[in-house]
Each structure stands twice: as structure tokens, then as C-alpha cells.
């Protein structure tokens, strides 16, 4: 990865910390809300708003270091979009990112369990296994990809913190699956038998649906934003980071 | 449409995808919320917040391509404001936008029904037929037009994503009709017999009230922002898109 | 008022429309929420969030025309801060603003009543008459003045839409009076016997407390931001408008 | 403190007013919400949203004067990061900040009690004393430090108002302690026997956990953002203020 602003080690640390914190927010807020209320919509409202706030901050703070992917499919799509012009990340960097993301996600689940006095590892028993849930994961992930690459294709990666957070806030509600849309977070959520959990046996189909959704999303990006010119190539990991850093230097 | 940045086909795709996603958000979040809670205000809170998040993101992401109208009356008002100076869109483009918006809206309703395991087409049985609801639609649509054209008349189309989303978030609550304010979305909502639906027989009067509201809104814009000078002409579809693109290049 | 960008008539129209719409949001959302829920905190949550969204949009849209005061005490404080250097508004303009604001507020109450099929004028029977409520109004208004003039004193009037809206969103909750903090809105709320109403006999003491709060706020501004230099004089109505317009031209 | 923009007296006034107002928001919104609802999650939702709105505004308004720390650990961490290069604040300034913050916090609690007709000083009887709550305070404070110094290390202190507010909004929910994360606020909350209170005997361990969390947070900042170069030294109190002022002059 040439032209890298931050060394790979720190980028991987940022991805692990960020994905972990995201999972802690998702699981922790779910536990707190479900402990406090009998009203299912109030619980989901608390869970979704906490995620909006937390995810937005994490992207804003860690974006300049690693690009704030927190999601193997976002890293993979970044590789896909940049594969033609020699500017994108290498596949082995994507693999390293994915390992950091998944490790972080598991750590985040353990931390959430610990803060709420639950067993540190506590396999979920919540089945999420149905056709319409898989359709929802396809739609949710496709939408996420359109948001991220729509913004980067139009040179506005700096709007990602607010936009991605808001998108997830909507997707919690408009999908029947409450929008996992992220294989690393899905794996992390298997480690807690609480509100936000997912049974290990339901993880595989969810991830397959998410992969399909990412492909649909990339197709939609091409249809709406057009085939991509060499010059306006989608940002690879470093370029995204640079955009964030630039935003910093010009905005405060 | 001279000076167009994006080809018409991609702009129509953006309008169809955006209006469709908006309807999916409105209907899907309504189904989820109504399934989870008995408290009517909690349901509307979830429905309105999901719409705020979703609509804001859709305008931000798709604005640079098509202007992110997602609403035939916004397209029509753009034509009206630009008809005098040869810079506005042609009426036939407005018609094409409307077809894309309505098609997208119907598709979005079908997707929402599918994700929640409902019949794909499921005519609404919810009557929304009363004087005070029509007054509410007039007020809601007038306000929407004032927000959009007030911002463009003062050269601040870049504030549209947050402002229009926030406006709709308020209008869900301050109007007795929960603020449809959009003929395409109104038609789409007839295709689902769930929380956000509207009986086909109630659609016509709603759209008439919305048209009247748009006219009232254009009048208010003239009163508050003044008769429009040739130079500061309201942005037509392309100019709006250019403003978005410009925002992109200067802000990240 | 020399150097005025917009003619007084349009500025008064903006103040009337803006204050009216604000009152419509406050009263209308209160009616809708109270009709839908038995849970008092859910009702206030809906009422406060709708106000945050609505007020923020109104300031953003109308700020470039009139300064978006929507509040006689904000207009008066603007006069007070600018009285020494010949740049502030004249007292007679403040009086004209106040008339427009109060007229708009009454109109906004009538519109809200009409949209919810209530009698157009419907005097409130809700007593709000107690020592601790008046203390709350003092605190709420003082805080509002600190927010507005703290931002203008540090040259950041462009942050007003989000900041003032967020302030009111907090003040609904941290004050026992739910933070009226505005004589025009207080008068408008007397015209509806619904959730957000205030009995006419309670209006006088509320307004007195608000005036006292504005004075406390101006004192706090002087303590925290220092005595004001001639050059960095607080923005008068026109300068505030210019700041908004400038924001427009540089930001999109 | 060389290069100071604002005299120490005004900066201390800003810290006292800001921390006081923050505590008023936290306690007042807790009283109002708990009076209005039986649903624990609705109460925490109101409490957390009011805090998000209030904290964001306070940082935006007072940041240019004092840096808007409102938290002795943030002041101390600022000293720690700047101790090597002669640009940071002196320890005695940190002590003065802490005194102002704690005094303000107590005053804010008294004001909240008064506005809700409670005894002015009213020791809390709410025990918050458990291993998992202390772990939560460690995590909450570590996260807060990462957000603040992650933004300043990447030159984006101007994003602090929104980011810190959003972080706290998430942390209310993802931690079992509802995220005090601030010794001054913790002390202030001992002065009210209401929803947001903490028994005086629980204050000490909470503050110890917060100190530990701040140290963990500084470690994480070093791991993710790298050892700090002399040139890109973390902003000291004045530099942070300058960044805010600069934001003001360029953004409106």
C-alpha cells in the first residue's frame, strides 16, 4: 500500500478498537434498554439512537487513521473499486483489516457482557433464520454500500460520519432484521445471549445475504453514479484517510 | 436541458431509487414500530425519526446526481421558478422525473411489504378523508416548498439534506395528517395495508391538497424572499446538482 | 436601519411566518402526541423533538431575511447590545418586530387548532402559576440569551440554527416550566386549550420572568465574553442577516 | 499560560457556568422524565437526549473562551499531553479549572433542585457501588478521552461539540453506570436525591475508576494516533480556544 499516511499497525489498531466499540454500543445499549422497558419499540428506539450516536463518533474520530471501515465488506468493496488502477488496497490488507475487525468485534461483545455483569462469553440463543430476514440483510447492506461509495464517488467522504450513522439509524427500523449489514458485527453479536444477539447457527446465512447485498450495492452505485473514470477513482483506504485528514485541516 | 452534468437516464435512476428507498423507510419503519408497541406516540416517534434519518441521507447521497427531488411537486415548482429565464428544466423532464418517482415509490412499497413478509401488493384500507387532514396537507406541502426554495433562493442548497429531513420530522407531528406532502409517496403508500398506508380512495383529495399547498408555498416564498431577480434565479435541476457537487469538492 | 439588506416589510413577514410556524409546531405536536399516548414523558419527548426539528429549520431558512428572532426579547436584546455604536436596530424596529411576532404567534395557534379540528380560538385553562415555574422561566430565557449572543460575540452566528434548536430541546426537559422563554410564543399558547396551552391569567408573570431572565442572560454574556469592544459589536438585525447570507454563499 | 486569548477569570467563569449548566441539564431532565413516566427506558431516553442537546450547545458556545472542558480529567489530560513542549497549561491552572468546575457543578445541582421545588441541598441516597459499574466508568472515561484527543490530534477540535455530545448520548446506554465519566459532575450529582443522583459514599470509587479510565484513554490515543510529534502537539487550553475562535471566523 503505497502512499500510506499511517502505518498498517496503527490502522489495524483503529479498526479493532472501532469495530469493538461499535459492538459494545450495539450490545450494551440493547441490554440496558431491554432491562428498563417492556415496550419493544422503546427498546429498539434506545438501541438504534445509541448506535447512531456511537457509530457517528467512531467514524469521525478514527476515519483519519484507518478509513473507519469497521466492516469487512466495506474493505472488500474498497479493494474491488480500486483494483483496476493500482491505487486501491491489496487483498492481503483487506484480509488484515477483516481479522482486526472480527477480533475487535468479539472483544467488544465481551466488554459489553462484562459491564452488565453477564458471563463474558454467552452464546446467543436467538434464532434469526427466515427468508424475509435475509432479504432485509441484502437490502440493508446494499444501501450501506450505496451511501458510502455514493459519497466517495462525489468527493464527499467528509459527510460519511453523519451519513452512515443516520443510514443505520433508519435501517434499524425499515428492515425486518434490524440491519446487521456487517459480517464482523454479526459474528461479535453471536457472543452474547442478550437483546442484540444472534444464534451462531444463524450467522452463516446472514453473512451470505450481506455479501449478496454488497454486490447489489456496487451494481446500484454503477447505475446511479456511472462507470467510474480513472481520475475520479473511488477512494482506497489511504485516500479515504487522506480525505478525512484534509477535512480536519480545513474545517476547524 | 442544457448544461446537464449527469445524463437524464442516471438522473431518473437516482429519482427512482431515492423515492423508492424513501417509501421503503416510511412503510417499513411503520410496520416494525406498530408490531413492537401499543403506544401510538412511540410508534410515530420511531416512524418519524427513521424517516428523518433516511430522508436526510438520501438527499445527501443522491442530490449531486438528480437534485434529490423525490417529489413531483418539487420538480414542478423547480420548473415554475425557472420557466422565465430559460434555465429551468423543460416540462417533459418534469414529467419524466414524475414517472420515475412514482415507479420508484411503488417499488419501495413492494420491497417493504416483502421484507416484513407481507403480500407484495396489499391495498391499504386506512381511510384518510376529512377537511382538517386536507388543511394539514396544504400546510405541510406549503412549508416544504418554503424550506426548499427559501434555501435555494439564498444560495444554500447545501443545507437541504439536514433541513428537509428536519422539516419532515417536525411535520409528522405538527400536522394531523402526519404530513405526506408528496404525491409520489402518497401513491406508493396506497400499496400497503399497514401503519403508513392510505386507502386508494383517499389518495386523490390528498394530492389535490398537496398541489394547492405547493402553490401557497410558492406564494409565501415570493412574499418573504421577494420577487426573483434574473441573476439569482432559483436553481433548476442541473444547477441544484452542481451546487451539491460543488459542496462536495469544497467541503471534504 | 441603514445598510439593510432586506426591506422592512419582508423582514416583518419573515418574523410573522417564522413565529407563527414555531407556535404551530409547538401546539400541533403537543396535540398529536397527547392524543396518541398516556405516557407523559413520551408526549414531552415528541413535543420537544418536533420543536427541535422545526425551530432549527425555521432559523436556517428565515435567518438570512430577518435574523430569525421569533422572540421580542431577542429583538430587544439585539437593540440593547447595539445601542452604543449606532449600528443596532432602532427601538421602533424592535416594536415592529414584536408586533409581527405576536401576530404570527396567534395565527400559528389558530392554524394548529384548525388542523386538529379544534375550535379556532380556544382559551387555555391550564394554570402555570408557581414560584418554581417562574424561576425556571428566568433560567430558560437567560440560557437562550447566552447561547445567541455568545455565538454572535464570537462571530459564529452561522451555528445558531443547530445551537438554538438544541438548546430548546434541552430546556424543555431541564426546566420545570418546559421552557417557554418567549413572550410572543407564550401569548400564542394562550389561544389553545390543549397540551401546550397556558391560561391567560398565567401569561403575565411568565413574561415578567422571561424579561428578568433576558437581563440575567445579558449579564452572564458580559461576565463570560467580556465587555464588548466597538469593533466586535454584537450583530444587529442586518448584520446578523448578512452573516447568514454570507454563510450561504461560502458554504454550498 | 502564555499566549492566552482570554483572561483566566473569564475562562474560569466559563468553566463554572458550563459545568453548572451541564449538571442542571442532567439532574433537571432526570427529575422531569422520572416524574412523567413509569417506563425506565423512556426516562433514560429523555435524560440522555436532553444531555446530548445541552452538552453540545455548551461546548459550542463556551469552547472559544475556556476550551469547554467542564471536567477536571479533561483539564488534567490536556496538561499531561502538553507537559513536554512548554505549550500546555500549568498544573496550577488545571487546579483552578477543577475548582471552578466543581463549584459550578454544585451550583447547577442546587439550581435544578430549586426549579423543581426540591430542597436546595438534598443528599442522594442512590447507591452506585459495584464492580461492573466501576468497569463501566473506566470504559466510559477512556472513550471520552479518545474522542477528545483523537479529534485534537488530527486537528479537528471544531468537531468536538457534536462529537462529545453524541459520545455521551451513546455512553448513557452502552455502559451499566450510564456514564458519569466526570469527577466534577459526579460530585454535583451527590447533591440531589433524585433520578440522576449518586450517594456520597459511592462518589469516591466512581472518581477512582474515572481516573483509571482517563489513563487507559491516553494509552489508547498513543496506540492509535501514534507518539506525538513536537509540531502536532495536542492542543493546550489556549490552542483549543484558538481553534474554536478560528472556526468561528471561517465558518459563518
Amino acid at each position: 500500500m503505497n502512499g500510506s499516511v499511517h502505518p498498517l499497525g496503527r490502522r489495524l489498531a483503529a479498526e479493532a478498537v472501532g469495530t469493538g466499540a461499535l459492538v459494545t454500543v450495539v450490545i450494551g445499549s440493547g441490554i440496558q434498554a431491554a432491562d428498563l422497558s417492556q415496550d419493544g419499540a422503546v427498546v429498539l428506539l434506545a438501541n438504534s439512537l445509541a448506535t447512531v450516536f456511537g457509530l457517528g463518533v467512531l467514524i469521525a474520530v478514527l476515519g483519519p487513521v484507518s478509513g473507519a471501515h469497521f466492516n469487512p465488506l466495506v474493505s472488500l468493496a474498497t479493494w474491488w473499486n480500486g483494483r483496476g488502477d493500482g491505487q486501491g488496497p491489496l487483498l492481503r490488507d483487506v484480509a488484515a483489516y477483516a481479522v482486526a475487525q472480527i477480533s475487535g468485534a468479539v472483544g467488544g461483545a465481551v466488554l459489553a457482557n462484562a459491564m452488565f455483569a453477564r458471563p463474558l462469553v454467552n452464546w446467543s440463543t436467538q434464532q434469526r433464520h427466515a427468508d424475509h430476514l435475509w432479504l432485509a440483510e441484502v437490502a440493508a447492506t446494499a444501501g450501506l454500500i450505496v451511501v458510502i461509495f455514493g459519497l466517495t464517488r462525489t468527493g464527499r467522504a467528509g459527510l460519511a460520519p453523519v451519513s452512515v450513522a443516520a443510514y443505520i439509524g433508519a435501517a434499524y427500523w425499515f428492515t425486518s432484521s434490524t440491519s446487521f449489514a456487517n459480517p464482523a458485527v454479526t459474528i461479535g453479536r453471536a457472543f452474547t445471549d442478550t437483546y442484540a444477539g444472534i444464534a451462531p447457527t444463524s450467522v452463516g446465512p446472514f453473512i451470505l445475504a450481506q455479501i449478496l447485498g454488497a454486490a447489489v450495492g456496487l451494481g446500484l452505485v454503477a447505475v446511479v453514479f456511472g462507470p467510474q473514470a480513472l481520475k475520479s477513482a473511488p477512494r482506497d483506504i489511504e485516500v479515504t484517510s487522506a480525505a478525512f485528514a484534509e477535512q480536519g485541516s480545513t474545517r476547524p
Side-chain angles (χ1 to χ4, degrees), chain A residues 170-237:
Chain A
Y172 256 94
W173 286 97
F174 77 72
T175 64
S176 51
S177 65
T178 69
S179 188
F180 285 47
N182 184 331
V185 169
T186 303
I187 292 170
R189 287 163 76 149
F191 285 75
T192 187
D193 196 18
T194 62
Y195 179 77
I198 177 171
T201 53
S202 299
V203 167
F206 257 53
I207 291 177
L208 286 178
Q210 292 160 4
I211 292 170
L212 180 56
V216 171
L218 287 172
L220 276 172
V221 169
V223 168
V224 172
F225 295 90
Q228 132 189 5
L230 271 175
K231 279 297 177 192
S232 63
R235 315 309 199 186
D236 70 344
I237 289 175

Coordinates of all heavy atoms in Angstrom, one line a residue, chain A residues 170-237:
Chain A
A170 N -31.9 4.6 10.3 CA -33.1 4.3 9.6 C -33.2 2.8 9.3 O -34.3 2.3 9.4 CB -33.0 5.1 8.2
A171 N -32.1 2.2 9.0 CA -32.1 0.8 8.6 C -32.5 -0.1 9.8 O -33.1 -1.2 9.6 CB -30.8 0.4 8.0
Y172 N -32.2 0.3 11.0 CA -32.7 -0.5 12.2 C -34.2 -0.7 12.1 O -34.7 -1.7 12.5 CB -32.4 0.3 13.5 CG -31.3 -0.1 14.3 CD1 -30.0 0.4 14.2 CD2 -31.5 -1.1 15.3 CE1 -29.0 0.1 15.1 CE2 -30.5 -1.5 16.2 CZ -29.2 -0.9 16.0 OH -28.2 -1.2 16.9
W173 N -34.9 0.3 11.5 CA -36.3 0.3 11.5 C -37.0 -0.1 10.2 O -38.0 -0.8 10.3 CB -36.8 1.8 11.9 CG -36.6 2.1 13.3 CD1 -35.6 2.8 13.8 CD2 -37.4 1.7 14.4 NE1 -35.7 2.8 15.2 CE2 -36.8 2.2 15.6 CE3 -38.6 1.0 14.5 CZ2 -37.4 2.0 16.8 CZ3 -39.2 0.7 15.8 CH2 -38.6 1.2 16.9
F174 N -36.4 0.2 9.1 CA -37.1 -0.2 7.9 C -36.8 -1.6 7.4 O -37.4 -2.0 6.4 CB -36.8 0.9 6.8 CG -35.5 0.9 6.0 CD1 -35.2 -0.1 5.1 CD2 -34.6 1.9 6.2 CE1 -34.0 -0.1 4.4 CE2 -33.4 1.9 5.6 CZ -33.1 0.9 4.7
T175 N -35.9 -2.3 8.0 CA -35.6 -3.7 7.7 C -36.2 -4.6 8.8 O -36.1 -4.2 10.0 CB -34.1 -4.0 7.6 OG1 -33.5 -3.8 8.8 CG2 -33.5 -3.1 6.5
S176 N -36.7 -5.7 8.5 CA -37.2 -6.7 9.5 C -36.1 -7.3 10.3 O -36.3 -7.8 11.4 CB -38.0 -7.8 8.8 OG -37.2 -8.3 7.7
S177 N -34.8 -7.2 9.8 CA -33.7 -7.8 10.5 C -33.0 -6.9 11.5 O -32.1 -7.2 12.2 CB -32.7 -8.3 9.5 OG -32.1 -7.2 8.8
T178 N -33.5 -5.6 11.5 CA -32.8 -4.5 12.3 C -31.4 -4.3 11.7 O -30.6 -3.6 12.4 CB -32.8 -4.7 13.8 OG1 -31.9 -5.8 14.1 CG2 -34.2 -5.0 14.4
S179 N -31.2 -4.7 10.5 CA -30.0 -4.3 9.8 C -28.6 -4.5 10.4 O -28.0 -3.6 11.0 CB -30.1 -2.7 9.5 OG -29.0 -2.3 8.6
F180 N -28.2 -5.8 10.4 CA -26.8 -6.1 10.9 C -25.9 -5.5 9.8 O -25.0 -4.7 10.1 CB -26.7 -7.6 11.0 CG -27.3 -8.2 12.2 CD1 -28.6 -7.9 12.6 CD2 -26.6 -9.0 13.1 CE1 -29.2 -8.4 13.7 CE2 -27.2 -9.6 14.2 CZ -28.5 -9.3 14.5
A181 N -26.0 -6.0 8.6 CA -25.2 -5.4 7.4 C -23.7 -5.4 7.6 O -23.1 -4.6 7.0 CB -25.7 -4.0 7.2
N182 N -23.2 -6.3 8.4 CA -21.8 -6.3 8.7 C -21.3 -7.6 9.2 O -21.7 -8.0 10.4 CB -21.5 -5.2 9.7 CG -20.1 -5.0 10.1 OD1 -19.3 -5.9 10.0 ND2 -19.8 -3.7 10.5
P183 N -20.5 -8.4 8.5 CA -20.1 -9.7 9.0 C -19.4 -9.7 10.3 O -19.6 -10.6 11.1 CB -19.2 -10.3 7.8 CG -19.7 -9.5 6.6 CD -20.1 -8.1 7.1
A184 N -18.5 -8.7 10.5 CA -17.8 -8.7 11.8 C -18.7 -8.5 12.9 O -18.6 -9.2 14.0 CB -16.7 -7.6 11.7
V185 N -19.6 -7.5 12.8 CA -20.5 -7.2 13.9 C -21.5 -8.4 14.1 O -21.8 -8.8 15.2 CB -21.3 -5.9 13.6 CG1 -22.4 -5.8 14.6 CG2 -20.3 -4.7 13.7
T186 N -21.8 -9.1 13.0 CA -22.7 -10.3 13.1 C -22.0 -11.3 14.0 O -22.6 -11.9 14.9 CB -23.1 -10.8 11.7 OG1 -23.7 -9.7 11.0 CG2 -24.0 -12.0 11.8
I187 N -20.8 -11.6 13.7 CA -20.0 -12.6 14.5 C -19.9 -12.2 15.9 O -20.2 -13.0 16.8 CB -18.6 -12.8 13.8 CG1 -18.7 -13.5 12.5 CG2 -17.7 -13.6 14.8 CD1 -17.5 -13.5 11.7
G188 N -19.6 -10.9 16.2 CA -19.5 -10.4 17.5 C -20.8 -10.6 18.3 O -20.8 -11.0 19.5
R189 N -21.9 -10.4 17.6 CA -23.2 -10.5 18.3 C -23.6 -11.9 18.6 O -24.6 -12.1 19.4 CB -24.3 -9.8 17.4 CG -24.2 -8.3 17.5 CD -24.9 -7.6 16.3 NE -26.3 -7.6 16.6 CZ -27.2 -6.6 16.1 NH1 -26.7 -5.6 15.4 NH2 -28.4 -6.6 16.4
A190 N -22.9 -12.9 18.1 CA -23.1 -14.2 18.5 C -22.6 -14.5 19.9 O -23.1 -15.5 20.5 CB -22.5 -15.2 17.5
F191 N -21.8 -13.7 20.4 CA -21.1 -14.0 21.7 C -21.9 -13.4 22.9 O -21.4 -13.4 24.0 CB -19.7 -13.3 21.7 CG -18.7 -14.1 20.9 CD1 -18.7 -14.0 19.5 CD2 -17.8 -14.9 21.5 CE1 -17.8 -14.8 18.8 CE2 -16.8 -15.6 20.8 CZ -16.8 -15.5 19.4
T192 N -23.2 -13.0 22.7 CA -24.0 -12.5 23.9 C -25.4 -13.0 23.8 O -26.0 -12.9 22.7 CB -23.9 -11.0 23.9 OG1 -24.6 -10.6 25.1 CG2 -24.6 -10.4 22.7
D193 N -25.9 -13.6 24.9 CA -27.3 -14.1 24.8 C -28.2 -13.0 25.4 O -28.9 -13.2 26.4 CB -27.4 -15.4 25.6 CG -28.7 -16.1 25.3 OD1 -29.3 -15.8 24.2 OD2 -29.1 -17.0 26.0
T194 N -28.1 -11.9 24.7 CA -29.0 -10.7 25.2 C -29.7 -10.2 23.9 O -29.6 -10.7 22.8 CB -28.1 -9.6 25.8 OG1 -27.2 -9.1 24.8 CG2 -27.3 -10.2 27.0
Y195 N -30.4 -9.0 24.1 CA -31.3 -8.4 23.1 C -30.7 -8.4 21.7 O -31.4 -8.7 20.8 CB -31.6 -7.0 23.6 CG -32.5 -6.3 22.6 CD1 -33.9 -6.6 22.6 CD2 -32.0 -5.3 21.8 CE1 -34.7 -5.9 21.7 CE2 -32.9 -4.6 20.9 CZ -34.2 -4.9 20.9 OH -35.0 -4.3 20.0
A196 N -29.4 -8.0 21.6 CA -28.8 -7.8 20.2 C -28.2 -9.1 19.7 O -27.6 -9.0 18.6 CB -27.8 -6.7 20.3
G197 N -28.3 -10.2 20.4 CA -27.6 -11.4 20.0 C -28.1 -12.1 18.8 O -29.3 -11.8 18.3
I198 N -27.4 -13.0 18.2 CA -27.8 -13.8 17.1 C -27.2 -15.2 17.3 O -26.0 -15.3 17.5 CB -27.4 -13.2 15.7 CG1 -27.8 -14.2 14.6 CG2 -25.9 -12.9 15.7 CD1 -27.6 -13.5 13.2
A199 N -28.0 -16.2 17.2 CA -27.6 -17.6 17.4 C -26.5 -17.9 16.4 O -26.6 -17.6 15.2 CB -28.7 -18.6 17.3
P200 N -25.4 -18.6 16.8 CA -24.3 -19.0 15.9 C -24.8 -19.6 14.6 O -24.3 -19.4 13.6 CB -23.4 -19.9 16.8 CG -23.7 -19.4 18.2 CD -25.1 -19.0 18.2
T201 N -25.8 -20.4 14.7 CA -26.3 -21.1 13.5 C -27.0 -20.2 12.6 O -27.2 -20.5 11.4 CB -27.4 -22.2 13.9 OG1 -28.4 -21.6 14.7 CG2 -26.7 -23.4 14.7
S202 N -27.4 -19.0 13.0 CA -28.0 -18.0 12.1 C -27.0 -17.1 11.4 O -27.3 -16.3 10.5 CB -29.0 -17.2 12.8 OG -30.0 -18.0 13.4
V203 N -25.7 -17.2 11.9 CA -24.7 -16.3 11.4 C -24.4 -16.5 9.9 O -24.3 -15.5 9.2 CB -23.4 -16.4 12.3 CG1 -22.3 -15.6 11.6 CG2 -23.7 -15.8 13.7
G204 N -24.2 -17.7 9.5 CA -23.8 -18.0 8.2 C -24.7 -17.4 7.1 O -24.2 -16.7 6.3
P205 N -26.0 -17.7 7.1 CA -26.9 -17.2 6.1 C -26.9 -15.7 6.2 O -27.1 -15.0 5.1 CB -28.2 -17.8 6.5 CG -27.9 -19.0 7.3 CD -26.6 -18.8 8.0
F206 N -26.8 -15.1 7.3 CA -26.8 -13.6 7.4 C -25.6 -13.1 6.6 O -25.8 -12.1 5.9 CB -26.8 -13.2 8.9 CG -28.1 -12.7 9.4 CD1 -29.2 -13.5 9.3 CD2 -28.2 -11.4 10.0 CE1 -30.5 -13.0 9.8 CE2 -29.4 -11.0 10.5 CZ -30.6 -11.8 10.4
I207 N -24.5 -13.7 6.8 CA -23.3 -13.2 6.1 C -23.4 -13.4 4.6 O -23.0 -12.5 3.8 CB -22.0 -13.8 6.7 CG1 -21.8 -13.3 8.1 CG2 -20.8 -13.5 5.8 CD1 -20.6 -14.0 8.8
L208 N -24.0 -14.5 4.2 CA -24.2 -14.7 2.8 C -25.1 -13.6 2.2 O -24.8 -13.1 1.1 CB -24.8 -16.1 2.5 CG -23.8 -17.3 2.7 CD1 -24.5 -18.6 2.4 CD2 -22.6 -17.1 1.7
A209 N -26.1 -13.3 2.9 CA -27.0 -12.3 2.4 C -26.3 -10.9 2.4 O -26.6 -10.1 1.4 CB -28.3 -12.2 3.3
Q210 N -25.5 -10.7 3.3 CA -24.8 -9.4 3.3 C -23.8 -9.3 2.1 O -23.7 -8.3 1.5 CB -24.0 -9.3 4.7 CG -24.9 -9.1 5.9 CD -24.3 -9.4 7.2 OE1 -23.1 -9.7 7.3 NE2 -25.0 -9.3 8.3
I211 N -23.1 -10.4 1.8 CA -22.2 -10.4 0.7 C -23.0 -10.1 -0.6 O -22.6 -9.3 -1.4 CB -21.5 -11.8 0.6 CG1 -20.5 -11.9 1.8 CG2 -20.7 -11.9 -0.8 CD1 -19.9 -13.3 1.9
L212 N -24.2 -10.8 -0.7 CA -25.0 -10.6 -1.9 C -25.5 -9.1 -1.9 O -25.5 -8.4 -3.0 CB -26.2 -11.5 -1.8 CG -27.2 -11.4 -3.0 CD1 -26.6 -11.6 -4.3 CD2 -28.4 -12.4 -2.8
G213 N -25.8 -8.6 -0.8 CA -26.2 -7.2 -0.7 C -25.1 -6.2 -1.1 O -25.4 -5.2 -1.8
A214 N -23.9 -6.5 -0.7 CA -22.8 -5.7 -1.1 C -22.6 -5.6 -2.6 O -22.4 -4.6 -3.2 CB -21.5 -6.1 -0.5
A215 N -22.8 -6.8 -3.3 CA -22.7 -6.9 -4.7 C -23.8 -6.1 -5.4 O -23.6 -5.3 -6.3 CB -22.8 -8.3 -5.2
V216 N -25.0 -6.2 -4.8 CA -26.2 -5.4 -5.4 C -25.9 -3.9 -5.2 O -26.1 -3.1 -6.1 CB -27.5 -5.8 -4.6 CG1 -28.6 -4.8 -5.0 CG2 -27.9 -7.2 -4.9
G217 N -25.3 -3.6 -4.1 CA -25.0 -2.2 -3.8 C -24.0 -1.6 -4.8 O -24.1 -0.5 -5.3
L218 N -22.9 -2.4 -5.1 CA -21.9 -2.0 -6.1 C -22.6 -1.8 -7.4 O -22.2 -0.8 -8.2 CB -20.8 -2.9 -6.1 CG -19.8 -2.9 -4.9 CD1 -18.8 -4.0 -5.0 CD2 -19.1 -1.6 -4.8
G219 N -23.5 -2.7 -7.8 CA -24.2 -2.5 -9.0 C -25.1 -1.2 -9.1 O -25.0 -0.5 -10.1
L220 N -25.7 -0.9 -8.0 CA -26.5 0.3 -7.9 C -25.7 1.5 -8.1 O -26.0 2.5 -8.7 CB -27.3 0.3 -6.6 CG -28.7 -0.4 -6.6 CD1 -29.2 -0.4 -5.2 CD2 -29.6 0.3 -7.6
V221 N -24.5 1.5 -7.4 CA -23.6 2.6 -7.5 C -23.2 2.9 -9.0 O -23.2 4.0 -9.4 CB -22.3 2.4 -6.6 CG1 -21.2 3.4 -6.9 CG2 -22.7 2.4 -5.2
A222 N -22.9 1.8 -9.7 CA -22.5 1.9 -11.1 C -23.7 2.5 -11.9 O -23.5 3.4 -12.8 CB -22.1 0.6 -11.7
V223 N -24.9 2.1 -11.6 CA -26.1 2.5 -12.4 C -26.3 4.0 -12.1 O -26.5 4.8 -13.0 CB -27.3 1.7 -12.0 CG1 -28.6 2.4 -12.6 CG2 -27.2 0.3 -12.6
V224 N -26.3 4.4 -10.9 CA -26.7 5.8 -10.5 C -25.5 6.8 -10.7 O -25.7 7.9 -11.1 CB -27.2 5.8 -9.0 CG1 -27.4 7.3 -8.6 CG2 -28.5 5.0 -8.9
F225 N -24.3 6.4 -10.3 CA -23.2 7.3 -10.4 C -22.3 7.1 -11.6 O -21.4 7.8 -11.8 CB -22.3 7.2 -9.1 CG -23.1 7.6 -7.9 CD1 -23.8 6.7 -7.1 CD2 -23.1 9.0 -7.5 CE1 -24.5 7.1 -6.0 CE2 -23.9 9.4 -6.4 CZ -24.6 8.4 -5.7
G226 N -22.6 6.1 -12.4 CA -21.9 5.9 -13.7 C -20.7 5.1 -13.6 O -20.2 4.9 -12.5
P227 N -20.2 4.6 -14.7 CA -19.0 3.8 -14.7 C -17.9 4.8 -14.3 O -17.9 6.0 -14.6 CB -18.8 3.4 -16.1 CG -19.6 4.4 -16.9 CD -20.7 4.8 -16.1
Q228 N -16.9 4.2 -13.6 CA -16.0 5.1 -12.9 C -14.8 5.5 -13.7 O -14.2 4.6 -14.3 CB -15.7 4.4 -11.6 CG -14.3 4.3 -11.1 CD -14.4 3.4 -9.9 OE1 -15.5 2.8 -9.6 NE2 -13.3 3.2 -9.3
A229 N -14.5 6.8 -13.8 CA -13.4 7.2 -14.6 C -12.1 6.9 -13.8 O -12.1 6.8 -12.6 CB -13.5 8.7 -14.9
L230 N -11.0 6.9 -14.6 CA -9.7 6.6 -13.9 C -9.4 7.7 -12.9 O -8.9 7.5 -11.8 CB -8.6 6.5 -15.0 CG -8.4 5.1 -15.5 CD1 -7.4 5.1 -16.6 CD2 -8.0 4.2 -14.4
K231 N -9.7 8.9 -13.3 CA -9.2 10.1 -12.5 C -10.1 10.2 -11.2 O -9.5 10.5 -10.1 CB -9.4 11.4 -13.2 CG -8.3 11.7 -14.2 CD -6.9 11.9 -13.4 CE -5.8 12.1 -14.3 NZ -4.5 12.0 -13.6
S232 N -11.4 9.9 -11.3 CA -12.2 10.1 -10.1 C -12.4 8.7 -9.4 O -13.5 8.4 -9.0 CB -13.6 10.7 -10.5 OG -14.2 9.8 -11.3
A233 N -11.3 7.9 -9.4 CA -11.4 6.6 -8.8 C -11.9 6.6 -7.4 O -11.6 7.6 -6.7 CB -10.0 6.0 -8.9
P234 N -12.7 5.6 -7.0 CA -13.2 5.6 -5.6 C -12.0 5.5 -4.7 O -10.9 4.9 -5.0 CB -13.9 4.3 -5.6 CG -13.4 3.5 -6.7 CD -13.0 4.4 -7.8
R235 N -12.2 6.2 -3.6 CA -11.1 6.3 -2.6 C -10.7 4.9 -2.1 O -11.5 4.1 -1.7 CB -11.5 7.1 -1.5 CG -12.2 8.4 -1.8 CD -11.5 9.2 -2.8 NE -11.9 10.6 -2.9 CZ -11.4 11.4 -3.8 NH1 -10.5 11.0 -4.7 NH2 -11.8 12.7 -3.8
D236 N -9.4 4.6 -2.1 CA -8.9 3.4 -1.4 C -8.7 3.8 0.0 O -9.0 4.9 0.5 CB -7.7 2.9 -2.1 CG -6.5 3.8 -1.8 OD1 -6.7 4.9 -1.4 OD2 -5.3 3.3 -2.0
I237 N -8.2 2.8 0.8 CA -8.2 3.0 2.2 C -7.3 4.3 2.5 O -7.8 5.1 3.3 CB -7.5 1.8 2.9 CG1 -8.6 0.6 2.8 CG2 -7.2 2.1 4.3 CD1 -8.1 -0.7 3.3

